[in-house]
Structure formats: C-alpha cells, structure tokens
Amino acid sequence: MAGSKEKHGGKDVDHMQQLPRLRRIEGQVRGVQQMIQDGRYCGDVTNQINAVIAALRRVQADMLSDHLKACIEASLSGDLSEGERQRLVDEIARLIAGLGRRP
C-alpha cells in the first residue's frame, strides 16, 4: 500500500480485508445490469440498487473507522509536528463532512 503509512501520520492501515466485500459488490452490480437487461420490475431493481449502496456504505464506514483510528493513534503518540496534526484534523473534518452528501 504505497503511501498509506505517510498519509496516516506514520501508522499502518490495511484495507485489504475490504477487497472480498468489493468483489461481492461488483457481482451485485453485474446482477443489477442483468436485471435491467432482462426487463425486471423497477421496484426489484431499485431494491437491489439499495443493497449495493448499503454495501458500499459499509465498506466506506469500515475504511473511515480504520483511518480515524490510525490518525488518532498517530496524534496521541506525540511524534507529529503541529502542522501534521492540523493536516490530519483537516482531513478528518473533510471526510466526515463528505459523509452527509448524497451522490
């Protein structure tokens, strides 16, 4: 994971456990495509799309949780400059603000 440690204030963050979930989501998206090609009922397609969105939000929440944990650990370690600490705070604020936005 190139650059991951530097971006997290010197703490390692491993998001590899998300790959199986993302592959499953990829399969769900292919299923939605097939449903549309087959002319399935709009309500059924919409329900499947909601399931895909919920699965992506779970991946997002888990990744954000790991990121926040690493940033907090780095900040508490005392090894960061004030500028780096502020960069982490600004980044966390930006990420949290982005959670409320709908695509």
Side-chain angles (χ1 to χ4, degrees):
M1 229 171 326
S4 178
K5 195 170 187 174
E6 295 80 20
K7 299 273 187 195
H8 296 94
K11 300 294 179 184
D12 283 319
V13 177
D14 182 13
H15 297 298
M16 298 302 284
Q17 71 273 13
Q18 300 301 330
L19 292 178
R21 286 172 140 181
L22 289 169
R23 287 185 191 104
R24 213 169 16 257
I25 293 166
E26 183 180 19
Q28 286 178 291
V29 171
R30 282 194 301 273
V32 170
Q33 291 172 341
Q34 189 64 50
M35 290 174 80
I36 291 171
Q37 287 176 343
D38 294 345
R40 295 275 300 272
Y41 177 63
C42 296
D44 293 340
V45 175
T46 299
N47 287 337
Q48 187 59 38
I49 290 170
N50 285 334
V52 170
I53 292 169
L56 282 169
R57 291 212 184 277
R58 281 191 297 275
V59 169
Q60 179 186 42
D62 287 349
M63 290 188 70
L64 185 57
S65 176
D66 291 344
H67 181 72
L68 292 174
K69 182 177 182 255
C71 289
I72 289 167
E73 287 175 359
S75 184
L76 292 175
S77 73
D79 296 335
L80 299 178
S81 68
E82 185 58 36
E84 182 64 8
R85 243 187 239 109
Q86 187 61 51
R87 184 193 70 77
L88 292 175
V89 167
D90 293 343
E91 181 179 334
I92 290 167
R94 182 182 53 78
L95 289 169
I96 290 172
L99 289 177
R101 288 190 221 126
R102 289 287 193 189

